[in-house]
Amino acid sequence: DTGVSQDPRHKITKRGQNVTFRCDPISEHNRLYWYRQTLGQGPEFLTYFQNEAQLEKSRLLSDRFSAERPKGSFSTLEIQRTEQGDSAMYLCASSLHSTNEKLFFGSGTQLSVL
Amino acid sequence: AQKVTQAQTEISVVEKEDVTLDCVYETRDTTYYLFWYKQPPSGELVFLIRRNSFDEQNEISGRYSWNFQKSTSSFNFTITASQVVDSAVYFCALSDISGGSNYKLTFGKGTLLTVNP
């Protein structure tokens, strides 16, 4: 399967713990995005990378959140000291910067903070 | 600030009926993109269409058609002869291209479409 892969699919953690999610984009895609989706809502933009550079961060991304894309391939999203309000689906997407750019989403990581 | 409104929270139809999903957007940008995505129960968002703000021509793709009207800031989506497999949540989205990316998207809350056999 050559689509966007996210790991894990589900994560249950206790409040105050740190969690890390991984995203593997489509191999030739140079742009990578993180979105968050809560129940009954549409996805919300968190941040995006072009290659290894993080070009934009939403104000939704508090200091407890950090995203990296060290070699311009896979990306990680870490949440420190998780709170119950962090419970959501975290979606990764990738695209190839071009005139006919299309964004492909992964299936997401469902985080539940108890 | 950008905003996308999908006033229909849930729609239920019987198979073979036509159904229209409404989308109204707000933006101060003169150049933007509009999108529709489908989210089946599996959770993965599936791209359906991207429309440039300068292109108001309606588009048809099989049973799907889109009506873009800049005058009313609407980008409605019609499924003709609906099928059970069309059951999903459908999202309308608007891009903010100020950061150089076409995909910093503002999504609506989605419309849950249920097609009954």
Side-chain angles (χ1 to χ4, degrees):
Chain A
D1 183 54
T2 57
V4 178
S5 299
Q6 292 189 247
D7 183 67
R9 288 296 309 275
H10 303 275
K11 179 70 177 179
I12 299 174
T13 191
K14 292 182 179 179
R15 189 176 52 185
Q17 298 294 305
N18 299 342
V19 294
T20 300
F21 311 140
R22 176 179 170 122
C23 171
D24 287 273
I26 294 173
S27 59
E28 65 269 23
H29 284 185
N30 56 353
R31 287 186 166 175
L32 186 147
Y33 299 75
W34 285 99
Y35 281 80
R36 180 175 71 185
Q37 184 178 18
T38 53
L39 196 62
Q41 303 294 317
E44 297 172 296
F45 171 82
L46 293 179
T47 188
Y48 94 95
F49 294 83
Q50 179 152 316
N51 300 314
E52 66 275 9
Q54 188 173 18
L55 297 186
E56 193 162 354
K57 291 167 58 174
S58 163
R59 56 182 170 77
L60 293 175
L61 217 62
S62 75
D63 291 344
R64 296 185 297 104
F65 288 70
S66 63
E68 294 182 347
R69 194 182 183 198
K71 297 181 180 179
S73 56
F74 73 91
S75 175
T76 57
L77 177 67
E78 181 183 15
I79 308 174
Q80 296 182 328
R81 305 181 303 282
T82 53
E83 301 173 356
Q84 288 186 327
D86 296 332
S87 296
M89 175 76 82
Y90 290 83
L91 295 165
C92 178
S94 70
S95 68
L96 177 64
H97 181 41
S98 64
T99 54
N100 194 28
E101 186 174 356
K102 291 182 181 179
L103 193 65
F104 294 87
F105 281 86
S107 296
T109 294
Q110 180 66 53
L111 172 66
S112 297
V113 181
L114 305 177
Chain B
Q2 299 196 318
K3 186 177 179 181
V4 175
T5 301
Q6 293 181 255
Q8 303 149 310
T9 306
E10 294 186 37
I11 299 176
S12 182
V13 299
V14 177
E15 205 169 17
K16 297 184 183 178
E17 284 185 21
D18 298 347
V19 57
T20 296
L21 309 181
D22 298 334
C23 173
V24 174
Y25 63 93
E26 296 176 29
T27 181
R28 293 180 181 176
D29 296 337
T30 55
T31 302
Y32 50 88
Y33 290 97
L34 292 162
F35 303 81
W36 276 95
Y37 279 88
K38 175 182 179 180
Q39 189 173 43
S42 62
E44 187 171 327
L45 283 159
V46 178
F47 170 90
L48 296 178
I49 189 171
R50 180 180 84 167
R51 176 49 50 89
N52 185 305
S53 57
F54 294 114
D55 180 7
E56 290 193 66
Q57 194 169 16
N58 292 331
E59 183 161 340
I60 298 174
S61 176
R63 296 185 296 108
Y64 296 168
S65 62
W66 291 270
N67 183 355
F68 177 31
Q69 294 197 346
K70 212 167 178 179
S71 61
T72 56
S73 297
S74 65
F75 186 44
N76 296 337
F77 173 33
T78 297
I79 302 175
T80 303
S82 60
Q83 300 176 0
V84 173
V85 293
D86 295 328
S87 297
V89 180
Y90 290 85
F91 291 99
C92 180
L94 170 67
S95 68
D96 172 359
I97 64 172
S98 60
S101 165
N102 296 334
Y103 280 98
K104 181 184 170 186
L105 302 180
T106 298
F107 283 82
K109 291 187 176 182
T111 298
L112 172 61
L113 174 64
T114 302
V115 181
N116 299 298

